Amino acid sequence: MTNANYEFAAHVKDLPVGKTKCIVASDKEILLCHIAEGFFAVDNLCSHAAERLSAGKLKGHKILCPLHGAAFDVRDGCALSRPATLPLRSYGVRVEGDDILINTDP
């Protein structure tokens, strides 16, 4: 498997289950999330009010915006509750050894 479109995001050991980490890759703020199902990555800004989701709470597969409480599914970026109606962009993630890699290409 080639890493041509993937960038290093974090080490597996540095992101326990139930935690998030904001990273910058390809000049984008991305929220890396570790849930029971694995690692997922979405835009770090809420699609409703551009608030940083890294300041929000991760509950299962949902990230909650700290400003108005909008919920998003970190697995695909889908908006789950108002006031957000637009999804977040999601990014491909894979793990190789202890490295978490993300694909920031469209």
Side-chain angles (χ1 to χ4, degrees):
M1 233 181 218
T2 178
N3 289 337
N5 298 326
Y6 282 79
E7 296 181 36
F8 174 80
H11 293 290
V12 170
K13 64 183 178 183
D14 295 333
L15 192 62
V17 174
K19 297 297 181 184
T20 64
K21 179 178 183 167
C22 178
I23 63 161
V24 176
S26 296
D27 297 324
K28 300 171 187 154
E29 269 194 40
I30 298 171
L31 187 66
L32 187 60
C33 305
H34 190 181
I35 64 173
E37 296 171 53
F39 294 95
F40 298 89
V42 294
D43 279 335
N44 190 40
L45 295 179
C46 176
S47 63
H48 167 253
E51 183 70 20
R52 286 186 166 78
L53 295 172
S54 54
K57 302 265 186 226
L58 182 64
K59 294 188 175 197
H61 66 274
K62 298 178 206 175
I63 187 73
L64 305 177
C65 178
L67 189 59
H68 297 118
F72 298 91
D73 190 326
V74 300
R75 298 171 296 185
D76 61 8
C78 183
L80 300 173
S81 69
R82 293 194 167 275
T85 57
L86 299 174
L88 302 172
R89 179 172 175 205
S90 62
Y91 301 88
V93 177
R94 72 175 186 228
V95 175
E96 291 185 359
D98 187 43
D99 294 340
I100 304 167
L101 307 172
I102 61 168
N103 184 345
T104 58
D105 286 344

